[in-house]
Structures are given as structure tokens and as C-alpha cells.
Amino acid sequence: MRAESGFDCRQFLRRFHFYREQAMMCMQMNFKYMQAALCVLLASVFAASAEEPEPPAAAQVLSLADAVNLALENNLDIRRSENSVGLLKTKDKYSWNSVSPSINLNGSFADNFEADTTSFSLSGSLGISLSPNLYASIRGARLNYEQGLISYEQTVRTVELNVRKAFYGLLYEQENIALQKRSLATSEAQYRQNQEKFRRGQIPELDVMTSRVSYEQKKPAVEAAETAFLNDLASFKQIIGMDQQTDVSLSGSLDDVLNVRKIELPPADKPAPNVQLAEKSVEIAQNGLLSSRFGSYAPSLSLGYQYGKTYGNSMSADYDWATVNSLSVGVQIPLDGWLPWSAGAVSVASAKTNVADAQLQLENAMETTAVQTESCMRKITQAISQVDSLRSTVELAERTYSMTETAYNYGKTDLMSLLNASDSVLSASVSLKQQAYTLVSAILDLESLLGVPFGTIGIPQAEAERAE
């Protein structure tokens, strides 16, 4: 129906519904787009939070005392030695068990169908055997346990020695890396400076190329030093029983070692560990000789007692009980040991030879310890003297490099002289640190040889001056 003014209501309504539907569809589509955009935004936020790396854990600061304590708690060699000592202690505690009486209880039942007899018996027995070498057996268990304790102490000291040497070795490698990096930084700075001088026309291009080659050649040395340090650090963690993934920062310096001025041996409260083992071996050999003599010449005694009841019947007798109640004593006297060709006599002769050999080993251990002590002392004295010389060499090299650098900046000397002076500083510094490690290693070897507490032989400079 159209109005007179020309307005069509139906067409207006159709268009109204059409535009309303279009508007609703746009709103729905926009809402879906907003949901999708929100999901993408949340996913990106969660992904970023998931991919964000955790902050690295702080490195565990490890001093020499901490490293030694960890090794004493976690080292596998020490734990195995503890197990061995525990077994020897158990054997020593029950070494008398050879005289423990043996007790038996026996029971039997028999039925003879042909003879029409039955029997039942129950008996018990008690037996004791006294061997002639009982005393030697008990004493031998005690001596073996004491020898095991000495071996355990040696194992602990060996592990501690290795830990201390490895710790000081890592300190040397750390300082060596620092020196190598400092030399590398100096070469890089010299190379950059020469580039600037070449641009200003002050030096030829050859000097720039030479300084660049010197800079590039020092990079592999730094990388090799860092690789060696990481490898030795992994071995060090294995010794002290630390997880390989744990980041470690060593606390200490070789400068303390450089302050050692003299050595002084403490009073010997007991023999060196090697001598103690040799002495214990002599005692064990002597006890073995005593055991062989007892076994070859002394009589052995055995004592037994048995009591039992037997109950049975037969065709010609009624049921009856039979009793067994007996005591037996036996003595065995060996006579073969008195014959020089018998096994007992040969055993005694072999035990005598073992005693003589153990005594010779004891003399050799005492002499070897004395020789090694003098050798270590001479090595330490020489190392202290070389430390003084190398310290002066480092001071001279640093002074020479400073003067050469000044002269080069003013054009009074060439680049090779400056590079040689820089290399001299690096070489002297590395030699000084290496000599410090040699000195502390020699001191540790001497302390381990004598069995004295570690860190008690070297006297610092201040204490040495007061003593003088």
C-alpha cells in the first residue's frame, strides 16, 4: 500500500529488517573476533611466561676447608675404607669364637617292617675344642684391625692431599686465566690504538697488522686455559662428591703461599704413616710365627658331652627306654713338627722368613722416609728462593713494559719491543703463580709424608721475622 505522498511502507519495513539483520551479524562477527583476539593475547602471555628462563642460581662459594669437609663426607674411597675397617672390627670383637661350644640336637625315628620293630631317639651334644694357637688367633685379629685403622687414616690423608692439591691447582688455573685475559685485553687495546694512529697517519699499516696478529694469537691460549680449568673442576667435583651441575666459585688465593718464608718440622709424636704400617707388619709376622709354632708343637684339647633317650620295641620285648649319657675328653699331641722335613717344620721356617723380611721392610721404610723428608725440604727451600727471584722478575717486567709503552706512544721505539715487553710481563706472572703452586705442593707432600696436620709446616713471613 503506497501513501499519497509516495512513501512505500512495505519497502521501508523490508529494508529495516535487512539492515537490522546485517547489524546483528556484524555484532556477532565482531564479538567472535574479540574472543579470538583475547585468546591469542592470553596464549602469547602464557607462552612468554613459560619460555622466560629462570634466573641462574647463585654460585656456591667453596673454600679449602669446605672442600676438605665435603670430601671426607662423600668420597667413595673413604667410604669403602670405612666398610673394610668395620669388618675388621667385627672380626676382632668376636675373635674368641673358636672356643664357643658347639651345641647339636638330634632326633630320629625308624620302623623296620620285616622285623616289626620301631624306635625313636632324641639326643643332644655339647663340644668344646681348644686349639693351641687360640691366643695367636685373637691377637692376630687385633693386629689386623689396628693395621686397618692405619690404612684408613692413610686413605683419608691421601684424599685430603689430593683435594688440597686440586684446589690450589684450580686457583693457579684461575689466576692464569685472569693473566691471559689481561694480556689479551692489553693486546686488543694496543690493536685499537694502532688503528687510530694509522688513521691519523702516525704509524704504518704493518704495525696495525702485527698488533692484530698478536691479538688474535692470544685468543686460543685463553680458550685452552678455560677448557683445562673446566676439565679439572669436573674432576675436583668428583673427588669431593659434588654434583657436576652445581656452579662453584672458589674462595682463596695463591698469594698466601707466596708469603711463606721458611719451614720448620714439628716434633715427631709418632712415626710416619709408612713406618707405622711397616711396624705393624712386623708384629703381624711375629704373631704368625707364634701361631705356626703353637700349631706344630703344642697339644690341642677337645671336650664333648652327649645325652639322649631312645624309645623302641621289638617282637621279643616290650617298649623300653634306653639312655645315652657320656663325656669324652681328647688330647692330640703333634709329633710331626719335630721332624725337620715335616709340613709343620716348614711352616715354622716360612714364618721365620716372613719375620725377617718384615724387619727389612721396616728398615727400608724408615730410611726411605728420612731420604724423602730431606728431599722435600730441599725442594721447598729452592721453591721459596725461586719465588723471591720471580717476584723481582715480575716487578722488573712490569716496570719495563710501562716505560716501553710510554716510549712507543712518543714514537721512541717500535711495536715489536712493546709486544715483547707485554709478553715478558705475562710470562713472569705465570711463572710466579706456577712456582707458588709448586711450593704448596711440596709442602703438602712433606706434611703427608710425616703424617702431621696439613697447614702446619709453612711459616709466613711475619712469623718468620718475629722468630728471627
Side-chain angles (χ1 to χ4, degrees):
M1 180 176 181
R2 182 181 297 271
E4 294 181 355
S5 60
F7 178 77
D8 192 352
C9 294
R10 294 181 179 178
Q11 186 177 3
F12 173 78
L13 292 174
R14 285 196 298 268
R15 291 182 178 179
F16 174 77
H17 290 299
F18 173 78
Y19 288 122
R20 187 184 65 176
E21 291 176 359
Q22 293 295 325
M24 293 294 295
M25 292 177 62
C26 290
M27 292 179 62
Q28 292 177 356
M29 292 178 64
N30 291 334
F31 181 74
K32 293 180 179 180
Y33 289 151
M34 292 177 62
Q35 284 183 331
L38 182 59
C39 291
V40 171
L41 179 61
L42 292 176
S44 61
V45 171
F46 285 120
S49 61
E51 294 177 358
E52 184 179 357
E54 296 181 358
Q60 180 177 351
V61 180
L62 199 64
S63 65
L64 179 58
D66 296 334
V68 171
N69 292 332
L70 287 175
L72 296 181
E73 294 176 1
N74 304 323
N75 187 266
L76 297 180
D77 292 336
I78 294 179
R79 293 167 63 180
R80 290 179 58 193
S81 184
E82 288 177 351
N83 294 336
S84 300
V85 172
L87 178 59
L88 292 175
K89 183 178 180 181
T90 301
K91 291 181 178 180
D92 173 58
K93 183 178 181 181
Y94 301 110
S95 59
W96 53 268
N97 56 10
S98 61
V99 299
S100 177
S102 60
I103 303 175
N104 296 316
L105 181 63
N106 302 318
S108 64
F109 173 79
D111 190 352
N112 192 331
F113 299 105
E114 296 293 335
D116 194 18
T117 60
T118 59
S119 64
F120 172 77
S121 65
L122 181 65
S123 63
S125 62
L126 175 67
I128 299 177
S129 178
L130 299 177
S131 62
N133 57 358
L134 174 61
Y135 167 76
S137 176
I138 296 176
R139 187 167 182 268
R142 166 59 59 174
L143 293 175
N144 290 333
Y145 173 57
E146 293 174 354
Q147 187 183 47
L149 289 176
I150 298 176
S151 299
Y152 170 74
E153 293 176 359
Q154 275 196 319
T155 301
V156 172
R157 290 188 60 84
T158 300
V159 171
E160 184 175 355
L161 173 65
N162 294 334
V163 170
R164 289 177 177 271
K165 279 189 173 182
F167 187 87
Y168 283 113
L170 291 174
L171 290 180
Y172 161 69
E173 292 181 0
Q174 274 188 340
E175 298 193 11
N176 180 38
I177 292 174
L179 292 173
Q180 297 287 350
K181 287 185 176 181
R182 188 176 68 181
S183 177
L184 179 64
T186 302
S187 298
E188 182 182 9
Q190 190 65 51
Y191 168 59
R192 304 302 179 192
Q193 185 180 6
N194 287 346
Q195 283 183 322
E196 183 65 25
K197 288 182 179 180
F198 173 71
R199 281 192 292 268
R200 294 197 302 263
Q202 297 178 351
I203 60 174
E205 186 179 3
L206 182 60
D207 285 358
V208 179
M209 296 177 62
T210 303
S211 60
R212 179 182 178 181
V213 171
S214 176
Y215 164 61
E216 295 293 339
Q217 287 179 343
K218 291 182 179 180
K219 289 182 179 180
V222 175
E223 295 176 357
E226 291 178 343
T227 301
F229 173 76
L230 293 177
N231 294 336
D232 293 339
L233 181 61
S235 301
F236 176 73
K237 290 180 180 179
Q238 182 180 5
I239 295 176
I240 64 177
M242 177 177 286
D243 186 7
Q244 294 292 335
Q245 304 302 323
T246 303
D247 193 11
V248 175
S249 175
L250 301 181
S251 174
S253 175
L254 289 174
D255 294 336
D256 298 336
V257 182
L258 297 176
N259 293 327
V260 175
R261 306 305 305 156
K262 61 182 295 187
I263 57 174
E264 181 176 346
L265 297 181
D269 298 334
K270 56 183 180 180
N274 292 335
V275 177
Q276 294 182 38
L277 277 177
E279 290 177 345
K280 196 60 62 175
S281 297
V282 171
E283 294 182 16
I284 292 175
Q286 291 174 346
N287 186 72
L289 174 60
L290 180 62
S291 177
S292 297
R293 285 174 172 171
F294 276 140
S296 300
Y297 307 128
S300 59
L301 178 65
S302 62
L303 176 65
Y305 174 75
Q306 183 178 9
Y307 181 84
K309 290 284 188 177
T310 302
Y311 179 75
N313 74 316
S314 63
M315 295 179 60
S316 60
D318 296 332
Y319 288 95
D320 194 11
W321 286 95
T323 302
V324 177
N325 189 4
S326 63
L327 175 66
S328 62
V329 178
V331 178
Q332 182 181 4
I333 302 176
L335 298 177
D336 294 342
W338 300 97
L339 302 176
W341 59 83
S342 65
V346 173
S347 176
V348 172
S350 177
K352 290 180 179 179
T353 303
N354 293 336
V355 172
D357 183 70
Q359 291 175 345
L360 292 176
Q361 291 183 7
L362 174 59
E363 295 178 6
N364 182 65
M366 296 174 64
E367 184 176 357
T368 301
T369 301
V371 172
Q372 292 179 349
T373 300
E374 294 296 330
S375 177
C376 289
M377 293 182 64
R378 287 192 293 267
K379 186 176 180 180
I380 293 172
T381 303
Q382 181 184 7
I384 293 175
S385 177
Q386 290 182 354
V387 164
D388 295 337
S389 177
L390 290 173
R391 186 184 284 112
S392 301
T393 304
V394 171
E395 295 175 356
L396 177 61
E398 291 177 347
R399 180 62 176 169
T400 302
Y401 174 77
S402 177
M403 297 176 62
T404 304
E405 184 181 21
T406 302
Y408 178 77
N409 292 332
Y410 284 99
K412 301 298 183 180
T413 186
D414 56 357
L415 178 62
M416 293 304 300
S417 299
L418 180 61
L419 295 178
N420 291 333
S422 177
D423 293 339
S424 298
V425 173
L426 174 63
S427 176
S429 300
V430 172
S431 298
L432 178 60
K433 298 302 182 180
Q434 187 175 13
Q435 191 60 39
Y437 176 69
T438 302
L439 173 59
V440 71
S441 297
I443 293 176
L444 291 173
D445 288 335
L446 180 58
E447 291 171 340
S448 176
L449 176 65
L450 299 179
V452 299
F454 289 103
T456 58
I457 289 184
I459 301 178
Q461 181 177 2
E463 296 183 8
E465 293 176 353
R466 288 196 300 267
E468 293 176 355

